[in-house]
DNA sequence: TGACAATATGTCAAATATGACATAATGTCA
DNA sequence: TGACATTATGTCATATTTGACATATTGTCA
């Protein structure tokens, strides 16, 4: 799988409908950077939840949300903000340092 | 100025009305962490804009926003999201790595 | 001091995010 | 396979965020 295809797959997972390569390339650098950052936080959240052996429903209760919203958080859905992801990570006891480190990660060494 | 008072002043600057020390202490750890993170991004944005010798109005045009919103971004106002700050930083050419590093900073070595 | 530039604050209509619900899809294990 | 748990998707009313405007405040320089 090419680098470009891998990236595209990730972006599609976030809710972006990428009809074709041209549309994909139509995304600006800023948009791609934003989506990638969001996906990093989403992944960090999911990994942490799994490490704690919590279901999405368990975790939803803890942050006064719902299972469906947690699912959307973890897939980086269009409808979830970075604010929500950050707040959720803090609720799991993650530190700013941890978040900063996760953001700094490149694809090759992502958690 | 005590450490606590300094923190309080920063938080007040973000739009939080901190009536007294008790109220301040009433903020949960997560809330404080969120506000501090937001303020780091706000500061990073302002520093970068100044480094580029742009006025708030100049920068506002570049990101299709308004001077007043830029002012709110830079003071970490309640009404601005981390999403908006992150998108604005990307618009200034900042990388994820830069953002990650800024978030990782502790108070003592903040930009 | 006053004139002007730059930044901050208050407000609001429109846009976007949120929790919740229903239900679909996927996974697991007997 | 089927029963059950878990996760994903679609939708919606409510809540929050956004750009914009007016106006206030602060800064600078003659």
């Amino acid at each position: 799988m090419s680098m470009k295809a891998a990236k595209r797959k990730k972006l599609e997972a976030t809710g972006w409908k990428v009809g074709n390569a041209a549309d994909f390339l139509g995304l600006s650098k800023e948009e791609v950077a934003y989506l990638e950052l969001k996906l990093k936080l989403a992944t960090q959240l999911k990994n942490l939840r799994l490490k704690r052996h919590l279901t999405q429903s368990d975790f939803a209760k803890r942050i006064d949300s719902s299972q469906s919203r947690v699912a959307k958080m973890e897939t980086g859905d269009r409808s979830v903000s970075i604010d929500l992801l950050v707040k959720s990570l803090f609720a799991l006891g993650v530190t700013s340092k941890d978040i900063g480190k996760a953001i700094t990660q490149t694809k090759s060494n992502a958690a």
Side-chain angles (χ1 to χ4, degrees), chain A:
Chain A
M1 189 186 230
S2 79
M3 198 60 188
K4 203 159 282 177
K7 236 183 209 175
R8 179 176 164 186
K9 196 172 173 219
K10 274 202 165 183
L11 292 172
E12 284 175 343
T14 71
W16 285 83
K17 289 311 170 209
V18 184
N20 51 52
D23 283 351
F24 172 64
L25 293 173
L27 288 180
S28 72
K29 260 190 185 131
E30 291 87 8
E31 288 169 327
V32 172
Y34 171 78
L35 292 173
E36 286 183 348
L37 172 42
K38 197 154 107 171
L39 215 42
K40 279 180 195 166
L41 298 176
T43 302
Q44 191 184 14
L45 185 68
K46 178 164 191 172
N47 288 344
L48 203 54
R49 176 181 64 80
L50 292 176
K51 198 178 284 182
R52 303 274 174 88
H53 300 291
L54 298 172
T55 65
Q56 290 183 345
S57 295
D58 290 338
F59 180 53
K61 277 175 202 160
R62 185 186 297 207
I63 61 171
D64 293 305
S65 185
S66 62
Q67 178 271 322
S68 58
R69 187 129 300 273
V70 172
K72 279 162 189 163
M73 285 188 217
E74 293 184 351
T75 53
D77 188 274
R78 251 188 156 65
S79 78
V80 333
S81 69
I82 289 183
D83 291 72
L84 185 61
L85 287 167
V86 164
K87 284 175 183 168
S88 299
L89 284 167
F90 283 142
L92 278 176
V94 167
T95 65
S96 283
K97 217 164 194 170
D98 292 329
I99 292 178
K101 275 189 280 184
I103 292 176
T104 302
Q105 308 275 4
T106 53
K107 266 129 292 181
S108 54
N109 58 358

